[in-house]
Amino acid sequence: MGGPAFGPLTSGPAGALDRRVELAPPPPVLFNSPEFVAFFVLVFGAYWALARWEAARVWLLLIASYVFYGAWDARFLVLMGFSTLLDYGLALWIERARSPGRRRLLMGLSLAANLGLLGFFKYCNFFIEQARSLLRAFGASGDLSSLDVILPVGISFYTFQTLSYTLDVYRGQLRAERSLPRFALFVAFFPQLVAGPIVRASDFLPQIPRAPRLTAAAFESGLALIAWGLFKKVVIADLLGTEVVDPLWSRPEQFGGLATLLGIYAYALQIYGDFSGYSDCAIGVSRLLGFELCENFDAPYRACSPRDFWRRWHISLSTWLRDYLYISLGGNRDGTWRTYRNLILTMLLGGLWHGASWMFVIWGAYHGLLLVLDRLVDFKFVDGDRPGVWLRRLVMFQFTCLGWVLFRSLTLEDAGAVLGSLTAARGEFQFGPFVLLAMAVAFLTQLLPTPRRLALESWFQSWPPLLRGSAYALGLGLLLTAGSGARPFIYFQF
């Protein structure tokens, strides 16, 4: 893989898509901007004023979600609307169909349409480029024209949501939704629309008709999640990305061994802070609207094994791949070698889900092999604070960081240059105190034992309500001010 016949192994900055795929412009408003605050305050006030009437609040959230998403490019609404209508109608037909053959045909139509749209927008130019390189390798002209395709933000997330819905209906695990506005809201719900978590219809749809209640505890926990998510994004992820990660990947020859190691660790903390920060904000904003979304991260760098890591990292994607791909391939039901094959195929496709790049495929294959190794060694799930557990966490973190080098690098040569700097004896790059403090805080939040974390939360809850409210207001104000010009969230690209 990566020889002349397959063209350059490219991904893009910060694990971006192949450079031949044009990304949609950055969002004008999202979480860390005053514009989003104004938008959300307006929606929040109107929503709770209409909370007694289901139809009114559904239509309000649906219109707000379309306005939010259409602010990127109104043309994207046509694509999302098509996916919504298609899977809404197909699910009803699948449920009513009596013939197994007809049900399979309708399910196949849903798969073909959804994956076809996703494949066209995400991989079209990538495959054209690979075909061009293959033709040149055999002496042909290779004169194939690339298409001017813009990747719609969030298409991977809402496509997987609608696919999981039709698959659940096809398997008889879920009744088809009769209300088109409810189903459209499930697809377009603005807090998690563009970067997840990937929500299951079985979790979200039953929440819509229930009369929402916003308790003081839910309001405070929602604000706390938003503040914590913005802190991880603005203070940790953006600082480490700007001051450490980007310089290392652009000029690895200037970094010595220790600085390179810290830079690789910094990227692990950056991508975690960036993506889990978005998930926290999405869950917090949803909670303020009376909805509970699934947890997407659970201290992934506390993982003791590859299986443990994928129980903790991007949980909504890893469980989606398990339930709808790995199990469909046969899971672990057909013997050891087929189990290994299914693990590798699942992770290969999970890597490709991130974008049109051989580097993502290599990253997926790497994690597939780690999962096979996990099965071969048969690591037992453990937790706690014994020395042996911490050693296993340390080793697993090194394996995870090696994978992040592949994920972040533009080419295999770039990955080799970064890894080669680990043994360099040149002068060390000097990190500033704020960078080191940000890394320390990020590690601490991952590795702090649960009893101590709960004790800190209990201590904060013991503050008088006025003091806690002032702390939230001050913290959110500072974070929004600092984050108004922040870098785009990394997972917008996927």
Side-chain angles (χ1 to χ4, degrees):
M1 204 178 295
F6 292 96
L9 298 174
T10 60
S11 59
L17 297 173
D18 189 283
R19 284 179 173 173
R20 290 175 292 276
V21 178
E22 183 182 353
L23 294 170
V29 292
L30 192 63
F31 295 153
N32 54 326
S33 68
E35 292 84 358
F36 179 80
V37 173
F39 166 81
F40 179 70
V41 168
L42 181 63
V43 172
F44 177 84
Y47 178 80
W48 286 108
L50 300 171
R52 294 175 55 191
W53 300 280
E54 180 197 340
R57 65 175 187 267
V58 167
W59 278 107
L60 172 69
L61 287 182
L62 184 58
I63 293 170
S65 298
Y66 283 170
V67 169
F68 174 82
Y69 192 64
W72 271 276
D73 189 326
R75 293 174 296 177
F76 297 162
L77 290 172
V78 176
L79 184 63
M80 186 169 64
F82 173 78
S83 294
T84 300
L85 292 172
L86 176 75
D87 286 305
Y88 170 77
L90 284 176
L92 289 172
W93 290 338
I94 289 172
E95 187 175 73
R96 293 168 183 166
R98 294 292 176 262
S99 164
R102 182 176 177 81
R103 287 168 57 83
R104 286 194 296 270
L105 177 63
L106 292 169
M107 188 65 243
L109 180 59
S110 175
L111 287 167
N114 282 286
L115 296 179
L117 283 174
L118 183 62
F120 174 77
F121 283 96
K122 204 160 188 176
Y123 308 107
C124 177
N125 282 342
F126 174 75
F127 287 120
I128 289 175
E129 181 61 29
Q130 303 314 303
R132 181 187 292 130
S133 298
L134 188 62
L135 288 172
R136 289 172 180 166
F138 285 97
S141 66
D143 187 18
L144 298 175
S145 300
S146 295
L147 301 177
D148 185 18
V149 177
I150 296 177
L151 180 70
V153 176
I155 187 173
S156 300
F157 290 91
Y158 71 72
T159 297
F160 269 29
Q161 286 192 189
T162 58
L163 265 181
S164 69
Y165 166 75
T166 50
L167 283 165
D168 284 348
V169 173
Y170 173 75
R171 293 173 173 179
Q173 298 171 349
L174 182 70
R175 291 291 308 277
E177 175 58 55
R178 267 60 182 171
S179 168
L180 179 57
R182 285 183 187 173
F183 181 72
L185 178 59
F186 156 69
V187 178
F189 188 52
F190 72 87
Q192 50 77 228
L193 171 61
V194 296
I198 301 170
V199 175
R200 303 284 182 97
S202 56
D203 295 326
F204 189 85
L205 287 173
Q207 297 185 60
I208 296 177
R210 298 175 191 159
R213 292 179 64 250
L214 184 61
T215 64
F219 183 79
E220 181 175 351
S221 65
L223 286 181
L225 278 170
I226 296 169
W228 181 230
L230 288 175
F231 177 83
K232 288 195 285 188
K233 162 62 177 168
V234 174
V235 177
I236 294 177
D238 285 358
L239 175 64
L240 295 180
T242 301
E243 298 295 328
V244 182
V245 177
D246 291 349
L248 171 60
W249 260 266
S250 61
R251 302 184 301 276
E253 69 281 356
Q254 297 182 10
F255 283 66
L258 178 60
T260 299
L261 183 63
L262 290 175
I264 293 171
Y265 290 169
Y267 180 62
L269 297 173
Q270 180 201 7
I271 194 169
Y272 167 75
D274 191 283
F275 190 20
S276 70
Y278 183 95
S279 293
D280 287 344
C281 289
I283 295 169
V285 168
S286 301
R287 187 167 294 172
L288 294 180
L289 295 171
F291 289 88
E292 287 295 327
L293 302 186
C294 60
E295 183 181 23
N296 211 24
F297 291 87
D298 180 18
Y301 298 143
R302 287 178 64 91
C304 298
S305 68
R307 269 182 286 185
D308 191 19
F309 175 78
W310 285 105
R311 291 188 189 106
R312 297 170 178 270
W313 177 271
H314 201 348
I315 299 169
S316 63
L317 175 63
S318 62
T319 54
W320 198 102
L321 293 172
R322 179 197 66 198
D323 294 344
Y324 300 107
L325 185 55
Y326 175 69
I327 291 176
S328 297
L329 288 170
N332 57 2
R333 299 189 300 271
D334 300 321
T336 301
W337 291 107
R338 289 189 178 181
T339 297
Y340 297 161
R341 178 205 65 183
N342 296 339
L343 286 170
I344 292 175
L345 284 175
T346 298
M347 295 312 298
L348 278 172
L349 292 172
L352 191 61
W353 175 87
H354 285 83
S357 164
W358 288 116
M359 291 303 290
F360 290 131
V361 175
I362 293 170
W363 174 78
Y366 170 78
H367 272 282
L369 291 172
L370 284 183
L371 288 169
V372 169
L373 177 64
D374 192 352
R375 295 268 181 166
L376 287 169
V377 178
D378 193 21
F379 285 115
K380 301 297 183 183
F381 175 76
V382 294
D383 204 352
D385 297 309
R386 300 187 303 276
V389 177
W390 283 102
L391 179 61
R392 287 176 57 174
R393 286 177 181 146
L394 179 62
V395 172
M396 185 60 214
F397 183 64
Q398 311 313 308
F399 279 114
T400 302
C401 287
L402 177 57
W404 288 137
V405 172
L406 300 172
F407 189 90
R408 173 62 174 79
S409 296
L410 181 67
T411 63
L412 281 174
E413 290 75 15
D414 287 345
V418 171
L419 293 174
S421 293
L422 288 170
T423 59
R426 47 185 166 256
E428 295 295 335
F429 183 87
Q430 297 299 316
F431 295 108
F434 289 109
V435 167
L436 296 176
L437 179 62
M439 292 185 69
V441 170
F443 275 121
L444 184 64
T445 60
Q446 288 280 293
L447 304 177
L448 190 68
T450 300
R452 296 185 183 179
R453 177 178 57 81
L454 293 176
L456 284 174
E457 292 178 1
S458 177
W459 171 73
F460 180 71
Q461 289 298 322
S462 68
W463 291 13
L466 181 60
L467 188 57
R468 293 204 311 273
S470 300
Y472 285 128
L474 178 61
L476 284 169
L478 291 174
L479 289 167
L480 289 170
T481 300
S484 58
R487 299 153 62 108
F489 286 89
I490 291 174
Y491 264 68
F492 283 169
Q493 303 165 90
F494 306 137

